[in-house]
Amino acid sequence: MSRRPPRHTMAGRSISGSRRALILGLLALISCRPAPTMDDLRPELSSIQTNLFDVHCAVAGCHRGGAPESQLDLEAGNSYSSLVDVASVGLPGMIRVYPGRPDSSYLVRKLSGEGIVGERMPLGKQPLPDSLLETIQAWIRAGAPSE
């Protein structure tokens, strides 16, 4: 007598292992947002939000929620008011994003690792590609418009 592989239930219905794997695979595909590519990058806040802040910064335990690190909330809808013309907590006297002046903007320094207090951002991850830093600098050079 041959034994059949165990069957699992989903919503009260019995499903085979292969169907279960297919369903789980489809759910994974549906729930995953494609990773942004540098081709998507533009010197606009919405693009920087999507390609940098949402992926690397506004994550649990970092720059989001009720008590974000360094009082810097980088969640969509909050990032602009937390960055532009706001004094840095880490290096008093510096502005996080100084419109028109990327070399005087602490955000650029924190991302490049030059002239900062503490660690380079994003913390515990690889340094950002030069193309992303250049795009952020271009946005700031253009006056850091909200859109």
Side-chain angles (χ1 to χ4, degrees):
M1 189 157 135
S2 67
R3 292 189 57 158
R4 295 181 77 186
R7 296 175 72 83
H8 299 278
T9 61
M10 184 176 255
R13 293 185 175 167
S14 178
I15 57 172
S16 68
S18 60
R19 279 191 177 176
R20 181 173 182 264
L22 177 64
I23 291 169
L24 291 174
L26 289 173
L27 288 173
L29 284 174
I30 292 169
S31 66
C32 291
R33 181 174 88 180
T37 66
M38 291 304 120
D39 295 337
D40 299 330
L41 200 54
R42 298 175 313 281
E44 301 166 357
L45 180 60
S46 61
S47 180
I48 294 167
Q49 182 72 49
T50 300
N51 290 284
L52 173 62
F53 301 153
D54 291 349
V55 177
H56 298 286
C57 311
V59 295
C62 292
H63 297 289
R64 71 175 289 167
E69 285 294 318
S70 300
Q71 302 165 13
L72 176 58
D73 185 351
L74 293 177
E75 287 186 278
N78 297 329
S79 58
Y80 187 84
S81 62
S82 287
L83 284 170
V84 179
D85 287 322
V86 176
S88 164
V89 172
L91 193 58
M94 287 226 50
I95 302 298
R96 288 176 173 164
V97 169
Y98 194 136
R101 300 188 54 195
D103 294 338
S104 299
S105 297
Y106 196 59
L107 175 65
V108 173
R109 289 187 180 195
K110 279 301 270 192
L111 295 173
S112 68
E114 298 173 16
I116 61 172
V117 172
E119 301 293 322
R120 165 192 253 168
M121 295 293 138
L123 187 62
K125 297 181 181 180
Q126 292 293 318
L128 298 176
D130 289 342
S131 60
L132 183 49
L133 287 172
E134 291 164 6
T135 300
I136 292 166
Q137 291 172 322
W139 170 66
I140 295 170
R141 196 174 299 109
S146 60
E147 279 313 316

